[in-house]
Amino acid sequence: TQLLEQSPQFLSIQEGENLTVYCNSSSVFSSLQWYRQEPGEGPVLLVTVVTGGEVKKLKRLTFQFGDARKDSSLHITAAQPGDTGLYLCAGSGSGNTGKLIFGQGTTLQVKP
Amino acid sequence: NAGVMQNPRHLVRRRGQEARLRCSPVKGHSHVYWYRQLPEEGLKFMVYLQKENIIDESGMPKERFSAEFPKEGPSILRIQQVVRGDSAAYFCASSRGGSGNQPQHFGDGTRLSIL
């Protein structure tokens, strides 16, 4: 059974601080996606990483896929209150069928 | 806006009743996925369908739950004889292709409450 462990589960920081969210597994994933979810809404895709060692940047967000494609990280620089939300990592299941295995999520609160 | 549309947004049922959740995918997408989310948790995969076919139902309970994606019309997730433990948010996602690299676009979910 493929599992994704996401840490930390909760994070409360001050505006301007940096943070990193981790997503780890003992399984290899063909790709990994990061989503952000607001209360009462569905997850919104931020990025998909496919190649081991790949790094993608989205403004103040930096996403990295581990060399062995078993782990990923999301780093936010100079966090802002607008970054508050639930961040979810999701890996493509075995067989690359499109079925997504989600981590349990990281709830981020950025205080002004 | 041609995003994934789910309805109803909120559904209240009494124990023993049936719940029907609908999902219209993004126009041009033929792959649909259903996920369930409990409070403060990530999403759990339930079923993956491609027009008229169930591709993977490994996450769906064997009893009371069924899903379909007919040639015409929305995908339906049906829960018969609902119980309190079925209370959750149910999300539908769609993609253009079926590989894991294809981005999945999510609807805003149906929040099911069982009295």
Side-chain angles (χ1 to χ4, degrees):
Chain A
T1 303
Q2 292 180 297
L3 291 173
L4 273 171
E5 294 289 333
Q6 205 170 326
S7 62
Q9 279 192 275
F10 300 97
L11 194 54
S12 181
I13 61 173
Q14 292 295 136
E15 181 177 1
E17 293 183 4
N18 302 332
L19 67 115
T20 303
V21 177
Y22 299 94
C23 187
N24 296 300
S25 177
S26 58
S27 304
V28 174
F29 288 94
S30 58
S31 67
L32 202 137
Q33 303 178 15
W34 284 91
Y35 291 84
R36 178 178 157 187
Q37 185 179 20
E38 302 284 352
E41 298 181 6
V44 175
L45 180 67
L46 297 174
V47 77
T48 300
V49 286
V50 178
T51 306
E54 183 176 5
V55 176
K56 281 191 175 180
K57 291 194 175 185
L58 187 65
K59 296 183 181 177
R60 293 176 294 100
L61 278 60
T62 302
F63 304 86
Q64 186 164 7
F65 201 12
D67 291 340
R69 291 186 290 133
K70 292 182 179 180
D71 54 86
S72 182
S73 64
L74 157 61
H75 183 79
I76 302 179
T77 304
Q80 298 176 3
D83 296 327
T84 294
L86 177 66
Y87 290 83
L88 297 160
C89 64
S92 178
S94 58
N96 198 23
T97 60
K99 164 185 173 180
L100 291 178
I101 309 296
F102 277 85
Q104 63 268 54
T106 294
T107 299
L108 171 65
Q109 180 187 43
V110 182
K111 301 174 189 174
Chain B
N1 185 348
V4 176
M5 301 300 294
Q6 288 188 250
N7 67 82
R9 290 295 309 275
H10 300 274
L11 182 62
V12 179
R13 284 287 178 267
R14 296 188 181 279
R15 282 179 295 171
Q17 291 184 321
E18 178 180 289
R20 282 188 178 232
L21 288 60
R22 296 175 194 79
C23 168
S24 295
V26 173
K27 189 176 181 181
H29 287 189
S30 58
H31 299 257
V32 164
Y33 312 82
W34 285 92
Y35 296 85
R36 178 163 62 178
Q37 185 177 37
L38 296 173
E40 306 290 337
E41 291 188 11
L43 285 74
K44 298 283 192 252
F45 168 81
M46 298 182 73
V47 61
Y48 162 33
L49 309 101
Q50 189 182 1
K51 281 292 185 181
E52 299 185 272
N53 293 305
I54 295 176
I55 307 301
D56 183 347
E57 56 182 349
S58 58
M60 200 152 70
K62 294 289 186 284
E63 297 180 352
R64 302 188 298 108
F65 285 73
S66 62
E68 62 177 16
F69 188 17
K71 188 176 180 181
E72 301 290 338
S75 175
I76 305 286
L77 179 67
R78 181 182 177 203
I79 311 173
Q80 295 179 288
Q81 299 173 358
V82 295
V83 300
R84 288 238 170 94
D86 296 332
S87 295
Y90 292 82
F91 289 94
C92 169
S94 73
S95 65
R96 188 175 299 278
S99 80
N101 300 346
Q102 291 284 326
Q104 292 187 19
H105 300 266
F106 283 78
D108 284 336
T110 293
R111 275 132 191 95
L112 176 64
S113 298
I114 309 301
L115 301 179

